[in-house]
């Protein structure tokens, strides 16, 4: 296969970026998207050029490190898939693809396709944890959690924080990420103690980072590699409403 | 309003709560408005009696102020929210595609700010034409306004008929995303009903905008 790439190249956060055209030759349909880029990069290195910078780590779709826009869709056209698990057999010989970094005020481009997602870490730091001391680990069945609640909490906790939701959202909102991180706590007994402070603090931090608000279009849900549903966002809104009405702190 | 509450209501989530709540309240008002106006089909007397009962009710002034406040909060919050959202992505994508899959993005959801502003302008003209429009007295009772006659007068002009039909179709487009979105914003979520709500949004939008558009068309062709 031969793939024509139009890639965003930007040397540093402050540098002026531009699109550069590359041709990926001898692409095997069995290659992952990142392996295809590895081949392009090897040739660039041989030619003494700067390779295309992109984030990746586990390359099995579970770590949340990789991610960029493939022809206008975060992580590419396959639903529920990170770009490292997107395979070249998905594309046709001779296709033209545009590769761009996530675009958001809160995600500064560091180099080429790599963006700074530490804004997500700061949202977690604002309250995505339990800080009360509850003593030693309780007996296995001492704290009962209903099957439905436990399943939903696990589904929310599946968020790998890749940033695709922000990238896909027309408002560059991190509502899906923030709501998943709020939900995984709000659904479990351990999350009840700081329930109200948590949602307010995390939403505050979300706003301070410069993310937009949710327009309920669900583009985020559609591109999410972990298929986190926007019912999480409804839950976050509900939690926020409750905090507004009932919080005594 | 204390300062922490104001701060909370200016957050992204608080803003959407307010837009959702006011939007849903306006949607409820619109159903009542359509039901009342449909009395035009029942004839001149029924329509005028209804209009008089509304306007002579002592609660009408506080209700109108409340309605105006709903509109002002909804419009103010939506516009400031839109401006903030634009700032959240200073550099646009060279290429952006519809994500497909489970996305609910539609023409309606992408044009909320445009349809909203056009509908707001339409409402000013609408109120001026009817509430503050030409005043006639009914023959039977000099104290009762013949609003029916005003309506027949306005809709005898094909320009206004076309204008009202266009405007009510835009109201429908706004509702098509707005109803389901409003429920989602105020935190309504249910494994079964949330999915159905998207479909019901479309059905209700068609019924309401169709019903509103039917009035000027009916008046034009029957009078």
């Amino acid at each position: 296969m031969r793939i024509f790439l139009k890639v965003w190249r930007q040397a540093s956060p402050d540098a002026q970026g531009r699109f550069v055209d590359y041709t990926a030759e001898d692409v095997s349909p069995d290659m992952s998207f990142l392996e295809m880029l590895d081949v392009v990069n090897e040739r660039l290195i041989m030619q003494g050029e700067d390779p295309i910078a992109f984030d990746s780590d586990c390359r099995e779709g579970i770590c949340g490190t990789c991610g960029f826009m493939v022809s206008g869709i975060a992580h590419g056209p396959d639903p529920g898939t990170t770009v490292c698990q997107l395979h070249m057999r998905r594309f046709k010989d001779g296709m033209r693809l545009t590769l761009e970094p996530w675009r958001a005020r809160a995600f500064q481009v560091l180099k080429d396709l790599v963006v700074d997602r530490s804004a997500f870490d700061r949202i977690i730091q604002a309250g995505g944890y339990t800080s009360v001391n509850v003593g030693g680990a309780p007996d296995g069945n001492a704290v009962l959690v209903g099957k439905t609640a436990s399943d939903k909490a696990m589904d929310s906790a599946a968020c790998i924080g890749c940033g695709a939701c922000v990238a896909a959202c027309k408002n560059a909102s991190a509502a899906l990420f923030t709501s998943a991180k709020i939900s995984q706590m709000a659904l479990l007994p351990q999350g009840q103690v700081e329930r109200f402070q948590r949602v307010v603090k995390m939403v505050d931090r979300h706003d301070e980072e410069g993310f937009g608000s949710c327009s309920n279009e669900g583009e985020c849900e559609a591109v999410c590699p972990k298929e986190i549903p926007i019912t999480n966002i409804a839950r976050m809104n509900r939690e926020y409403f409750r905090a507004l009405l009932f919080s005594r702190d | 309003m204390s300062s922490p509450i104001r701060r909370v209501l200016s957050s992204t989530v608080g803003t959407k709560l307010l837009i959702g709540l006011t939007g849903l309240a306006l949607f409820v008002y619109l159903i009542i408005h359509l039901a009342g106006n449909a009395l035009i089909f029942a004839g001149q007397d029924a329509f005028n009696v209804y209009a008089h009962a509304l306007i002579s009710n002592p609660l009408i002034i506080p209700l109108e102020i409340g309605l105006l406040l709903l509109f002002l909060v909804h419009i103010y919050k939506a516009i400031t929210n839109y401006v903030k959202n634009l700032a959240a992505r200073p550099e646009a994508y060279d290429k952006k595609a519809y994500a497909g899959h489970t996305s609910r993005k539609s023409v309606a959801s992408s044009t909320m700010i445009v349809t909203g502003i056009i509908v707001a302008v339409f409402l000013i003209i609408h109120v001026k034409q009817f509430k503050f429009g030409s005043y006639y007295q009914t023959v039977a009772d000099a104290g009762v306004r013949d609003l029916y006659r005003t309506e027949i007068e306005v809709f005898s002009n094909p320009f206004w008929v076309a204008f009202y039909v266009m405007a009510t179709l835009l109201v429908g487009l706004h509702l098509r995303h707005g109803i389901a979105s409003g429920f989602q914003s105020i935190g309504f979520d249910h494994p079964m009903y949330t999915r159905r709500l998207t479909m019901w949004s479309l059905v209700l939008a068609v019924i309401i905008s169709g019903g509103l558009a039917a009035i000027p068309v009916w008046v034009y062709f029957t009078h």
Side-chain angles (χ1 to χ4, degrees), chain A residues 106-179:
Chain A
F107 287 169
Q108 192 183 34
V109 175
L110 296 177
K111 191 172 195 281
D112 302 340
L113 304 175
V114 181
V115 298
D116 176 9
R117 284 168 297 178
S118 57
F120 272 11
D121 300 335
R122 290 188 291 275
I123 291 175
I124 297 292
Q125 282 163 12
Y129 50 83
T130 304
S131 63
V132 284
N133 189 346
V134 290
D139 286 344
N141 292 324
V143 183
L144 297 177
V145 181
K147 168 78 174 147
T148 320
S150 122
D151 283 355
K152 279 186 182 168
M154 192 59 219
D155 287 346
S156 305
C159 169
I160 51 177
C162 64
C165 47
V166 175
C169 176
K170 67 176 179 189
N171 306 328
S173 171
L176 191 63
F177 167 81
T178 310
S179 66

Side-chain angles (χ1 to χ4, degrees), chain A residues 80-245:
Chain A
T81 307
T82 52
V83 74
C84 66
Q85 282 295 300
L86 175 68
H87 286 79
M88 297 314 293
R89 65 181 83 96
R90 185 67 175 71
F91 302 97
K92 291 192 181 80
D93 186 32
M95 269 182 105
R96 291 175 190 282
L97 302 174
T98 306
L99 309 187
E100 283 178 271
W102 298 158
R103 296 272 187 213
R105 183 157 69 116
F107 287 169
Q108 192 183 34
V109 175
L110 296 177
K111 191 172 195 281
D112 302 340
L113 304 175
V114 181
V115 298
D116 176 9
R117 284 168 297 178
S118 57
F120 272 11
D121 300 335
R122 290 188 291 275
I123 291 175
I124 297 292
Q125 282 163 12
Y129 50 83
T130 304
S131 63
V132 284
N133 189 346
V134 290
D139 286 344
N141 292 324
V143 183
L144 297 177
V145 181
K147 168 78 174 147
T148 320
S150 122
D151 283 355
K152 279 186 182 168
M154 192 59 219
D155 287 346
S156 305
C159 169
I160 51 177
C162 64
C165 47
V166 175
C169 176
K170 67 176 179 189
N171 306 328
S173 171
L176 191 63
F177 167 81
T178 310
S179 66
K181 299 302 177 190
I182 287 168
S183 290
Q184 70 188 19
M185 309 292 284
L187 287 161
L188 297 177
Q190 291 85 348
Q192 301 311 304
V193 186
E194 293 153 298
R195 186 173 182 171
F196 294 146
Q197 300 98 302
R198 176 176 301 113
V199 62
V200 173
K201 280 183 187 167
M202 288 176 76
V203 168
D204 273 357
R205 190 71 230 180
H206 166 279
D207 294 358
E208 282 165 30
E209 294 294 342
F211 294 108
S213 68
C214 174
S215 285
N216 307 320
E217 286 188 327
E219 285 276 291
C220 52
E221 176 186 300
V223 299
C224 176
K226 298 297 147 190
E227 298 176 311
I228 309 267
I230 60 169
T231 50
N232 283 286
I233 300 178
R235 186 178 297 107
M236 170 174 74
N237 295 354
R238 216 157 55 227
E239 290 290 315
Y240 197 81
F241 205 17
R242 260 188 215 147
L244 187 65
L245 296 177

Side-chain angles (χ1 to χ4, degrees), chain B residues 17-35:
Chain B
L17 276 175
L18 275 179
I19 297 176
L21 280 172
T22 51
L24 289 174
L26 290 170
F27 161 62
V28 171
Y29 163 74
L30 193 58
I31 294 175
I32 300 167
H33 187 54
L34 171 62

Side-chain angles (χ1 to χ4, degrees), chain A residues 6 72 100 103 105 166-170 204 207 213-217 219 221 230 234 237-238 240 244, chain B residues 7-8 11-12 16 81 85 87-89 93-97 102-105 109 177 181 184-185 187 189:
Chain A
K6 181 179 165 191
E100 283 178 271
R103 296 272 187 213
R105 183 157 69 116
V166 175
C169 176
K170 67 176 179 189
D204 273 357
D207 294 358
S213 68
C214 174
S215 285
N216 307 320
E217 286 188 327
E219 285 276 291
E221 176 186 300
I230 60 169
N237 295 354
R238 216 157 55 227
Y240 197 81
L244 187 65
Chain B
R7 186 183 58 85
V8 163
S11 73
T12 49
K16 290 299 293 196
N81 181 52
N85 283 342
R89 176 165 292 131
Y93 287 109
D94 179 64
K95 192 175 165 75
K96 185 77 168 65
T102 59
S103 175
R104 299 163 202 181
K105 193 183 179 84
S109 75
H177 175 71
S181 180
Q184 166 83 7
S185 287
D189 114 71

